[in-house]
Amino acid sequence: MRSRLAPIAAIAVTAMGLALAGCAGGGADSGDTTKLVLGSWRTEDIAMWEDEILPAFHEANPDIEVEFAATDTNDYNAAIQSQVAGGNAPDLITCRPFDVNRAWIEDGYFDDLTGLEALDSFTPTALAAWTGADDAPYCVPVASVLAGFYYNKAIFDELGLEVPTTQAEFVDVLQAVKDNGKYTPLALGSADGWQLAYNVLYSMGPNYWKGEEGRLGLIDGTQKLTDPDFVAAFQAVDDLKPYLPSGFEAITYDDMGQLFNLGQAAIIPDGSWNINQLTSTGLDVGVFGAPVPEAGDQRYQQEMPDMAIGLSADSKNKEAAKVFLNWLTSDDFLSIFVNKLPGFFAMTTDAPSYDNPLAQEFSDLKTDAELTPRLALDRLSAGTPPLDDEIWVALQEMYAGTLTPDTATAQLQADLESWYVPAG
Amino acid sequence: MKRTATSYRYLALFVLPALAVYVLFSVYPLISSVFLSFFDSDDKAAGQQFIGFDNYVYLFTNPTTSERFWNALGNNVEFFLIHLLVELPIGLLMAALLTSGVLRKSTGAYRTLLFIPATLSVVIVGFIWRLLISPLWGVVDFPLLGNELTALPTISLMSVWQYIGIPMIFLYTALLAIPHDILEAAKIDGARGWTTFWKIKFPLIAPQFGLIVILTYIWTFNGFDIIYALNGSAPGPNYSTDILGTLFYRTFFGSSGQVANLDLGATVATVIFFIILVVTAVYFFVLQRRLKTYEL
């Protein structure tokens, strides 16, 4: 037995030896380039990074090579945690927003980036999702997503409707579509709780709780969900109920998109990430921001930080990594990134221009508005029960008629107080 | 047969591979998850700390977690009862019809047709049914899956539809095994179809019927896939379709907003294990023994 296997083993070992020698030779040829590894959860963007972004970076910085190492979204947090624990963390780590990243900062995954040139391109709000307990920045923001109301221009023209700017106008437009009877006014279902929260409450609500003022007020305990501003926000969401399609309790996020896509609904509240799907049937679509309570009020726009990149504390090539991080705010990078991924937006103060007209329209929503991330994802959902999950359910119950804006907010505040101790 | 040292050695040799796999992938994870439920590993600096039954106390006394747990348990009982009261009688009826001879040559076709759903992927079954009963595209105007009262029965019936073939085939083979001379004797004694079935056939397959009841219990209390496929890991509306499997998944792996808690997840898993273990043990020690197997 042994003697018969021996030749095969010998061949295998030789082959492996040759292969290894080949690898080593390849490495020696490009001896003076620095290699960086970028960890990410965007497996769907591998082609974009490898074919467009990284070659562009390599062209500008021939001595640095970056490898894009993507892990599936759901496994990403666990993968990074085990890589850091095992001492082979990627040099550049893509940062999750808010609480996960805060835990990573606390565990010493990142280097403090204070003083990095790239950070001058961002407002403190843009950086807030990735700061540590010491308020120091740890990641360079890359992309955010926005929420708004898409509308079918053909239906608006047919019924002679104007894009609404106030809540009263909004309800009038919905009523007009309903009275006409041909179309569903609002493509919205409550089967998926997350989207009631992310695309409706967290989009309309900031106009009532005044964006960051209300959000930070909840975090430091100076405001409560039972305050009139928050109750009014829930009320504004409840006001939309008469304009939903029948059987909306069982209509999912995908159903809504199809209803709008088929030209059967006038308006759909959705996120910017869905631009390509919602226009895939060739509809002429526009987008407007969440309406304000009264004419002349300040407008607030939900901008959810999605992606940033930080520097691993264990990296052996920190100088090269900083060159890459600074490049993330360059036009070279941003123009490729935002145009290859319509629906994802640069967070820099000087916005690049967008080839996709709808993306440009979305981006324009940011110009006269104050920006604010989703209400409950920062600190308020780091305990049991998480406020974000509770809000999903409360909104579903409000639409089902078992809760009112008053009882919903009262219940949510009680659930929050059961574990959350305000930072302030 | 005389048992020699050699025969024992062969016995060990044949059992060992299966035993090794079983221990490694089934027994060891089970024990280690029971083990994990007695520890607290949240504080990374301090490492794992032994905390006794604290996780269990937390699960059953914290207002949020205990409310979710009892809700999931109640829903799971309902999920099981619907299977018990709908799937098994229909499965028995179909098995009886298949063996009754009234279907003649089409028995094979019916048997295949009825069993096909059980071979489909749960995701496909969930998707097709969701479309069929969608208020937008389907044949029902009422939001069956969006109403707290109807959501769980609706999903349970989808599952019943899918798995009806399992008890049917189980009982069908048991009915086939009944010797013809007994049935002929009954016929000669003047027993008609109904009497023959309840007085002769059913008592003979009672042990198998009992077994499929307890298997249904185990399957439904380990249930997860169809609910997860249709409603995700926080199954709404308002957790009305949440069962123990989805509660465990949400606790152990976390959901969008919920932070994963390995220790508490292991605690939930252990509780589910004991719920199944106790009932199954009681069944086997108390009931199965009384369901006499007739010597034929």
Side-chain angles (χ1 to χ4, degrees), chain A residues 239-315:
Chain A
D239 288 344
L240 305 180
K241 193 176 154 186
Y243 308 106
L244 271 43
S246 75
F248 63 84
E249 295 98 328
I251 291 176
T252 62
Y253 179 66
D254 294 332
D255 290 334
M256 294 164 40
Q258 281 159 15
L259 193 65
F260 185 78
N261 228 337
L262 294 171
Q264 295 177 8
I267 301 172
I268 181 171
D270 205 342
S272 59
W273 61 84
N274 220 13
I275 284 180
N276 279 346
Q277 286 89 319
L278 289 182
T279 52
S280 61
T281 50
L283 285 184
D284 193 5
V285 175
V287 66
F288 60 88
V292 293
E294 302 289 340
D297 284 354
Q298 169 66 43
R299 223 171 58 71
Y300 295 86
Q301 171 65 40
Q302 184 204 112
E303 180 188 49
M304 185 59 200
D306 190 54
M307 224 186 288
I309 298 179
L311 170 56
S312 164
D314 294 335
S315 171

Side-chain angles (χ1 to χ4, degrees), chain A residues 49 59 76 82 97 151 167 298 326 360 384 397 403 413:
Chain A
W49 282 89
E59 202 171 296
Y76 179 73
S82 64
Y151 65 99
Q167 178 75 4
Q298 169 66 43
N326 278 324
Q360 183 63 51
T384 309
E397 283 193 79
L403 287 179
Q413 180 64 30

